Every structure is written in C-alpha cells, then in structure tokens.
Amino acid sequence: MPFLSFVIASYNEPLRLAMCLESLRRQLFTDFEVVVSDDGSSDPNVGLVAESYQVKFVTRPHDYRG
C-alpha cells in the first residue's frame, strides 16, 4: 500500500496534466500513487495522457445541470 496518494482533478487540459504527471515522475520519493479524476473531458487526450503515465484514471460524465 502506498504511503501517499495524489489525486489530480482534470478537465480538458491534457498538456497541463502531462506536465504535472511528469513532475511527479521525477520525484526522488517513490512511495506514492497517483489518481487522475476527470470531470467528463471532451478531449480524449486527457485519458491518453493518464494511460501513458500508468496512473489510475477515474472519469465521469460532465453534469451541466449545475
């Protein structure tokens, strides 16, 4: 079981997500997990970025009802 969990909220920003995940990848401390929580992005690249970094990816349909 990881010592630390990072939960990253994401919505239609695959480049920013990649920069964040790359920063975490470069850490010397490695006893952690990363979960990307996506709020129904219309950009499929968000999921592809998360997949390429081999992190847990959770998504849900975006709710526009407010």
Side-chain angles (χ1 to χ4, degrees), residues 27-50:
Q27 299 304 306
L28 298 177
F29 180 79
T30 59
D31 191 13
F32 64 87
E33 68 177 346
V34 178
V35 178
V36 173
S37 176
D38 181 68
D39 192 19
S41 291
S42 59
D43 187 339
N45 291 316
V46 172
L48 294 174
V49 167

Side-chain angles (χ1 to χ4, degrees), residues 2-66:
F3 179 74
L4 196 62
S5 296
F6 291 97
V7 179
I8 302 168
S10 174
Y11 181 73
N12 283 338
E13 292 285 346
L15 181 58
R16 287 184 187 198
L17 177 61
M19 291 184 332
C20 180
L21 294 175
E22 185 61 32
S23 178
L24 286 170
R25 177 188 281 178
R26 293 179 181 188
Q27 299 304 306
L28 298 177
F29 180 79
T30 59
D31 191 13
F32 64 87
E33 68 177 346
V34 178
V35 178
V36 173
S37 176
D38 181 68
D39 192 19
S41 291
S42 59
D43 187 339
N45 291 316
V46 172
L48 294 174
V49 167
E51 183 179 302
S52 72
Y53 281 87
Q54 300 177 342
V55 299
K56 294 179 183 177
F57 183 67
V58 179
T59 188
R60 68 178 190 91
H62 191 77
D63 184 0
Y64 291 101
R65 292 179 288 171

